[in-house]
């Protein structure tokens, strides 16, 4: 401003023109746009191009999900008087969206679907050793299928999917191996399809139990994003938690822990706590979450959150567009056999199309 050298009042370093101090990074950023929790860094002069590339490819991925999911929804939803939402829709949409995005050929879907839906059981310490071992065997079968797909893909022209991108990265980086690709693909399909299957059930159930809030929830993708946080809070669908292990003999929350002992963290137990939420028993899609940490925060933010929310928004919006008078045909019975979440044996819906 005055032609002299400016000093930042926060980091006490020289502050060139067009710099802004970021309180998250604790440094001055040239042509700072914003601090992005998705990349755990500031977006500015030196990485703006790469940030825009990331946004473009994320948009293309969402477009791919939309275009590939819609025909499935259209085929699945005819005009029945009633149908089981889990059997007809929820069990298919999450799996199909992810496997198509990843690049698993359709001929492998029936086989790989059977062995990936137990993937999250492999690290659940609360289930029996026998059940966990059976899940590991399923994962080994899934690994064999993925290896076969990778072998085929190496011999085929490069395609516009995630697997082809990973194979190209493998060629260009010595430290990135086939085992890394298999692990990432298995985690994406197994964990992504399983958790979104639960989200599909609870989204439809919660909104049909509170039909006066459907229009507000589905008004825009942003309003649905907030509504889904309320759906997850109100439903308290999770029951697995996060297993962590004490690195040494230590004190934790007033308890003496031995080295190696498991601590099962269950943050969802706060969802009906008056210290965190006013009137927690009331379902309100406009409830404010500040901060909203449903999918994590900062560098730990779930990479599939945007995809999951958009998939749910499109599916439920199409459901209500086709069946504006849809309602629960019965109060669904809960299935206690699922290791990861509180789910339903079936979710029978009545369409009133007759």
């Amino acid at each position: 401003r005055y032609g002299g050298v400016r000093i930042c009042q926060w980091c006490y370093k020289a502050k060139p023109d067009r710099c802004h101090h970021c309180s998250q990074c604790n440094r001055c950023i040239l042509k700072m746009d914003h601090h992005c929790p998705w990349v755990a860094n500031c977006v500015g002069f030196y990485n703006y191009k790469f940030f825009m590339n990331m946004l473009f490819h994320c948009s293309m991925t969402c477009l791919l999900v939309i275009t590939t999911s819609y025909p499935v929804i259209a085929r699945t939803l005819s005009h029945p008087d009633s149908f089981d939402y889990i059997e007809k829709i929820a069990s298919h949409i999450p799996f199909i969206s992810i496997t198509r995005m990843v690049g698993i050929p359709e001929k492998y879907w029936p086989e790989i679907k059977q062995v990936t839906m137990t993937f999250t059981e492999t690290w659940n310490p609360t289930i029996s050793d026998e059940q966990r071992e059976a899940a590991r065997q399923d994962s080994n079968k899934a690994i064999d299928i993925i290896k076969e797909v990778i072998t085929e893909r190496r011999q085929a022209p490069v395609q516009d999917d995630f697997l082809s991108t990973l194979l190209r990265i493998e060629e260009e980086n010595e430290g990135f191996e086939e085992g890394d690709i298999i692990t990432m693909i298995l985690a994406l399909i197994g964990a992504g399809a399983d958790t979104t299957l639960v989200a599909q059930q609870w989204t439809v159930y919660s909104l049909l139990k509170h039909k006066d809030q459907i229009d507000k929830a589905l008004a825009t993708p942003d309003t649905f994003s907030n509504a889904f946080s309320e759906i997850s809070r109100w439903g308290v669908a999770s029951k697995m938690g996060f297993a962590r292990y004490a690195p040494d003999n230590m004190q934790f929350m007033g308890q003496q822990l031995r080295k190696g002992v498991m601590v099962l963290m269950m943050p969802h137990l706060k969802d009906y706590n008056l210290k965190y939420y006013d009137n927690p028993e009331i379902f309100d899609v406009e409830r404010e979450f500040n901060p909203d940490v449903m999918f994590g925060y900062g560098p730990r933010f779930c990479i599939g959150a945007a995809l999951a929310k958009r998939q749910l928004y499109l599916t439920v919006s199409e459901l209500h567009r086709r069946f504006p008078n849809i309602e629960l045909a019965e109060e669904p019975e809960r299935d206690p056999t699922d290791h990861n979440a509180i789910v339903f044996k079936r979710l029978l819906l009545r369409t009133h199309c007759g």
Side-chain angles (χ1 to χ4, degrees):
R1 182 184 302 172
Y2 304 108
V5 177
R6 294 186 301 157
I7 302 297
C8 177
Q9 62 177 325
W10 302 105
C11 60
Y12 302 107
K13 296 180 180 179
K15 185 176 183 180
D17 292 340
R18 300 185 299 171
C19 272
H20 180 78
H21 183 85
C22 174
S23 59
Q24 296 288 327
C25 298
N26 195 28
R27 58 193 175 96
C28 289
I29 307 297
L30 182 61
K31 293 188 70 176
M32 177 180 174
D33 187 277
H34 69 289
H35 182 87
C36 178
W38 285 25
V39 298
N41 200 357
C42 277
V43 177
F45 179 78
Y46 292 104
N47 63 352
Y48 195 77
K49 170 188 173 182
F50 305 102
F51 180 75
M52 294 304 296
N53 283 340
M54 183 190 76
L55 291 183
F56 173 76
H57 286 95
C58 286
S59 300
M60 291 299 100
T61 300
C62 289
L63 181 61
L64 173 65
V65 171
I66 294 170
T67 55
T68 56
S69 296
Y70 182 81
V72 178
I73 299 173
R75 289 198 307 267
T76 304
L77 290 177
S78 54
H79 289 84
D81 179 61
S82 63
F83 66 94
D84 180 2
Y85 184 81
I86 297 174
E87 177 188 359
K88 297 297 184 181
I89 300 176
S91 296
H92 306 291
I93 295 295
F95 175 81
I96 291 173
S97 297
I98 289 183
T99 48
R100 276 193 171 156
M101 180 188 73
V102 167
I104 303 296
E106 196 166 341
K107 64 181 180 180
Y108 291 104
W109 288 3
E111 188 177 3
I112 200 171
K113 185 176 184 180
Q114 296 299 321
V115 293
T116 54
M117 296 307 290
T118 59
F119 175 69
T120 54
E121 296 180 13
T122 58
W123 66 73
N124 187 346
T126 66
I127 61 178
S128 66
D129 292 339
E130 293 78 10
Q131 186 177 354
R132 195 160 50 246
E133 180 58 31
R136 290 195 181 105
Q137 294 303 320
D138 282 344
S139 291
N140 289 335
K141 295 176 185 176
I143 289 172
D144 291 337
I145 297 171
I146 296 173
K147 285 182 176 179
E148 186 175 347
V149 173
I150 290 175
T151 301
E152 288 185 3
R153 188 57 56 82
R154 291 189 192 279
Q155 301 170 355
V158 176
Q159 301 179 29
D160 187 18
D161 54 45
F162 191 54
L163 178 56
S164 294
T165 301
L166 291 178
L167 291 174
R168 186 170 63 253
I169 293 173
E170 181 196 25
E171 292 179 359
E172 299 170 355
N173 295 270
E174 185 176 343
F176 193 71
E177 302 176 348
E178 184 174 291
D180 300 313
I181 298 175
I182 294 171
T183 301
M184 186 170 293
I185 295 297
L186 183 58
L188 280 172
I189 298 176
D194 180 49
T195 53
T196 316
L197 167 60
V198 177
Q200 286 271 356
Q201 301 177 41
W202 277 97
T203 298
V204 171
Y205 173 76
S206 302
L207 292 179
L208 290 181
K209 289 289 287 186
H210 306 87
K211 298 187 72 172
D212 59 312
Q213 301 197 48
I214 291 177
D215 290 341
K216 289 188 288 186
L218 300 179
T220 67
D222 288 336
T223 59
F224 178 79
S225 178
N226 189 80
F228 182 69
S229 294
E230 175 67 356
I231 289 166
S232 300
R233 182 206 67 82
W234 180 80
V236 197
S238 177
K239 64 181 181 182
M240 177 175 166
F242 303 95
R244 298 294 184 266
Y245 299 87
D248 207 340
N249 295 331
M250 58 185 294
Q251 285 278 342
F252 180 71
M253 297 183 70
Q255 301 293 323
Q256 182 64 38
L257 303 181
R258 303 188 313 275
K259 180 180 179 179
V261 71
M262 182 184 74
V263 179
L264 190 61
M265 299 185 295
M266 307 185 79
H268 55 276
L269 297 183
K270 76 178 190 315
D271 290 342
Y272 274 72
N273 192 325
L274 289 169
K275 293 181 180 179
Y276 297 95
Y277 300 107
D278 296 330
N279 302 315
E281 72 285 353
I282 296 177
F283 181 79
D284 180 10
V285 298
E286 296 180 320
R287 185 186 297 273
E288 291 186 9
F289 294 87
N290 187 23
D292 188 351
V293 294
M294 186 61 62
F295 285 90
Y297 186 76
R300 299 290 184 180
F301 188 77
C302 174
I303 194 172
L307 175 62
K309 289 181 180 180
R310 181 54 62 97
Q311 179 194 111
L312 288 165
Y313 171 72
L314 292 171
T315 306
V316 178
S317 296
E318 180 66 16
L319 176 73
H320 286 279
R321 187 190 70 80
R322 285 179 173 247
F323 307 120
N325 298 316
I326 197 168
E327 64 180 6
L328 293 171
E330 61 183 14
E331 184 64 25
E333 181 181 358
R334 300 189 178 188
D335 184 359
T337 61
D338 190 281
H339 79 104
N340 186 34
I342 300 171
V343 297
F344 304 119
K345 290 184 176 180
R346 69 173 187 173
L347 189 58
L348 195 63
L349 306 181
R350 183 172 291 114
T351 63
H352 294 289
C353 287

